Amino acid sequence: MRENYETATFAAGCFWCTEAVFQRFKGVFNVKSGYTGGHIQNPPYREVCTGRTGHAEGIQFNFDPNIITYRELLEIFFTTHDPTTLNREGNDKGTQYRSAIFYANESQRQEAENFVNFLDEEKIFPNPIVTEITPLDIFYPAEEEHDDYYNRNKEQMYCQYIINPKVDKIKKHYSKKLKEEYTK
């Protein structure tokens, strides 16, 4: 990792969706799906799906703050999922699908808290934000079959009905910030 890169870790429902969104942005690198925020070591997907491990499905990635700031990443995070539903994103239900920001340092914690306060004060969402803001402990990369899932499975029904609308939304709202190969 280059010296000026930072790391961000987010959970916003299914990690296939979150990965598909963030990997499209300029300045974002090494997007990896995985599990964090739970109480067992090296949890497998099958166990995380039960909701009993305490882990959230999330993503972790590197970013160049000279190209895309942490605040911009937070804006994208809150634009592409519903942060007002507890332990749920769309039809995916359970603590493993919770909305969470796992901060890597004090600066990220303050930025996340300030941004949530701003969104709540401005009443951007009709209901209060329930996104968890917690320190990052350990991020466990998911199994290989989850890597680059959307790009490899665009014809799959879940991708068409759940992920495509999120990708279309970022194309509409953030076209100038997307990597060229993802603007079409």
Side-chain angles (χ1 to χ4, degrees):
M1 185 172 84
R2 292 165 72 185
E3 286 182 31
N4 60 329
Y5 287 1
E6 294 183 30
T7 300
T9 308
F10 297 137
C14 171
F15 53 28
W16 297 337
C17 300
T18 316
E19 176 194 60
V21 165
F22 282 92
Q23 70 185 180
R24 286 166 161 63
F25 284 88
K26 294 175 188 172
V28 172
F29 311 95
N30 307 318
V31 181
K32 182 70 181 155
S33 293
Y35 318 108
T36 192
H39 55 268
I40 69 166
Q41 293 182 344
N42 299 307
Y45 181 70
R46 191 180 319 258
E47 283 188 47
V48 172
C49 286
T50 68
R52 294 189 299 255
T53 70
H55 291 88
E57 283 192 14
I59 62 163
Q60 187 171 76
F61 57 89
N62 303 120
F63 68 98
D64 184 339
N66 295 311
I67 298 172
I68 190 165
T69 66
Y70 192 68
R71 183 171 173 96
E72 289 173 309
L73 295 170
L74 291 170
E75 180 182 323
I76 295 160
F77 171 79
F78 284 105
T79 299
T80 55
H81 83 290
D82 181 355
T84 68
T85 55
L86 187 62
N87 301 326
R88 179 179 180 178
E89 175 61 16
N91 291 330
D92 294 327
K93 297 176 187 167
T95 57
Q96 68 272 30
Y97 300 114
R98 68 189 179 269
S99 175
I101 297 166
F102 296 92
Y103 58 87
N105 54 47
E106 185 62 19
S107 174
Q108 286 185 359
R109 181 193 66 77
Q110 286 181 324
E111 190 79 45
E113 288 177 356
N114 290 342
F115 197 72
V116 168
N117 288 337
F118 164 77
L119 294 173
D120 276 339
E121 287 171 8
E122 295 297 316
K123 302 200 183 312
I124 302 299
F125 295 97
N127 297 310
I129 292 171
V130 296
T131 301
E132 172 185 318
I133 300 172
T134 190
L136 175 65
D137 185 15
I138 298 172
F139 181 85
Y140 297 100
E143 298 81 355
E144 273 186 45
E145 67 257 24
H146 301 292
D147 292 345
D148 205 31
Y149 188 86
Y150 173 73
N151 292 329
R152 293 183 299 102
N153 296 282
K154 288 182 182 176
E155 301 307 315
Q156 197 243 31
M157 295 300 265
Y158 186 88
C159 294
Q160 296 220 351
Y161 289 105
I162 305 298
I163 304 175
N164 275 354
K166 293 175 186 275
V167 170
D168 291 343
K169 188 174 195 175
I170 64 168
K171 284 180 181 177
K172 180 179 177 184
H173 294 288
Y174 300 103
S175 62
K176 292 184 173 147
K177 294 190 177 291
L178 299 180
K179 294 173 185 170
E180 190 173 325
E181 67 265 31
Y182 294 122
T183 58
K184 298 170 182 80

